[in-house]
Amino acid sequence: MNNEQIGISAEIAIADFFNVPISSDYRLRGIPCVADTFSEIIKTVFYDNNIPKPVKHVAEHQSDVDFLLDYGKTLSVKTNKQGLGKAAPQKVGQASSKTWFSLMASKLNITKIPSTYQEKVVIFKELVYSRIDELLKIYWENMFECDYFIQFYNVVDANDNLTLSPKAIIMKKHKSPYWDRSKIRFTKSSIAEWNESNTVKYGHQGISIGEFQVHNNRDNFKFRFNMAGIERILKSGELHIDN
């Protein structure tokens, strides 16, 4: 059982709870018993947070969101198998180097894109160090600028047994906060030191808010927000967000 199957199962559960059609091919990628375990928390999450009713499932084909809701609103759904862990923004969070540069070129005014993967890795890492505030804004927009965001977690235990008590955090649409570069730190301080993984920390407490990964054996630029860290730093008040 992997996180993709759990994520698809959560979407299926939402669709079925609100009688929203979902394609048979997509349904086959989920796990029925996992979908069943979301029923009670879906009811609680939607009604307690006044989330409009889903009317269409649009998660297939790399859509920006997972559901269209009543009143023209949108919803994105993420999952973690166990604790509240990491989650990748739509489209740019787990992209090939070619896709990443094609999506980011206009946003970051990149005029020349290298031809080889090795050259792209160097440019990517340079951008992370020199323009981290801009990158965090773009990643945030691709993750949280849907009208509603739900992340389910605590779905299974360490042995992949259903907990029968999944939990969730909910965020409503927020613009990206102001990222003060003086408050940002990396676990790898230079390109030479950065091999594959590099964690981003924010604030005077050094709270982990995300992780970059550049794979040496496959073409992939990955960034995932550390959701526990995001929740913690928002509660601390050190990261201010305007509605």
Side-chain angles (χ1 to χ4, degrees):
M1 188 185 305
N2 58 44
N3 199 52
E4 181 185 38
Q5 291 172 310
I6 291 176
I8 290 172
S9 298
E11 293 171 28
I12 292 170
I14 292 171
D16 288 350
F17 188 88
F18 291 100
N19 296 313
V20 174
I22 195 164
S23 77
S24 56
D25 288 343
Y26 201 77
R27 187 178 291 276
L28 288 172
R29 294 165 59 190
I31 302 174
C33 64
V34 177
D36 291 343
T37 197
F38 286 106
S39 297
E40 284 302 314
I41 193 169
I42 286 170
K43 179 180 179 180
T44 300
V45 163
F46 274 81
Y47 295 155
D48 287 0
N49 294 279
N50 296 312
I51 299 176
K53 178 183 176 182
V55 294
K56 187 175 183 179
H57 180 250
V58 294
E60 297 178 77
H61 312 302
Q62 291 293 304
S63 172
D64 291 336
V65 296
D66 296 310
F67 287 92
L68 303 182
L69 310 177
D70 269 339
Y71 314 113
K73 303 299 183 181
T74 58
L75 168 69
S76 287
V77 180
K78 299 285 185 182
T79 56
N80 288 123
K81 292 176 66 174
Q82 297 169 28
L84 182 57
K86 299 181 179 69
Q90 302 288 83
K91 294 187 176 180
V92 293
Q94 301 185 85
S96 69
S97 63
K98 180 180 179 181
T99 299
W100 192 90
F101 274 101
S102 68
L103 292 170
M104 293 293 202
S106 61
K107 296 177 183 294
L108 297 173
N109 296 315
I110 302 170
T111 57
K112 185 177 181 180
I113 300 174
S115 57
T116 70
Y117 177 63
Q118 290 73 21
E119 291 173 314
K120 289 176 183 176
V121 168
V122 172
I123 299 300
F124 174 75
K125 290 180 179 180
E126 288 176 347
L127 288 168
V128 168
Y129 286 121
S130 64
R131 302 176 70 175
I132 182 61
D133 52 332
E134 296 173 72
L135 286 174
L136 287 173
K137 181 178 185 295
I138 294 168
Y139 284 127
W140 185 280
E141 289 168 351
N142 279 269
M143 182 84 158
F144 299 118
E145 286 204 357
C146 48
D147 293 294
Y148 296 90
F149 173 90
I150 302 172
Q151 177 134 356
F152 294 106
Y153 63 103
N154 193 47
V155 181
V156 297
D157 62 21
N159 297 313
D160 274 357
N161 298 311
L162 292 171
T163 64
L164 303 181
S165 58
K167 302 182 184 301
I169 61 169
I170 300 93
M171 291 178 64
K172 295 184 180 181
K173 185 173 184 177
H174 295 295
K175 294 182 178 178
S176 175
Y178 167 70
W179 299 99
D180 184 345
R181 288 180 60 176
S182 69
K183 295 182 178 181
I184 297 174
R185 299 288 183 272
F186 297 94
T187 54
K188 304 296 189 298
S189 59
S190 68
I191 291 177
E193 186 182 355
W194 179 359
N195 183 25
E196 290 195 353
S197 176
N198 195 358
T199 297
V200 187
K201 297 186 176 184
Y202 194 85
H204 69 278
Q205 297 181 61
I207 297 172
S208 171
I209 59 168
E211 181 186 43
F212 288 95
Q213 285 184 308
V214 178
H215 295 283
N216 295 322
N217 58 354
R218 67 178 185 271
D219 188 326
N220 187 267
F221 291 165
K222 183 181 290 186
F223 174 79
R224 295 177 296 169
F225 280 106
N226 182 337
M227 295 305 299
I230 292 295
E231 184 179 47
R232 180 182 167 195
I233 204 163
L234 288 176
K235 287 181 177 179
S236 75
E238 192 167 2
L239 190 65
H240 180 68
I241 298 180
D242 293 322
N243 291 332

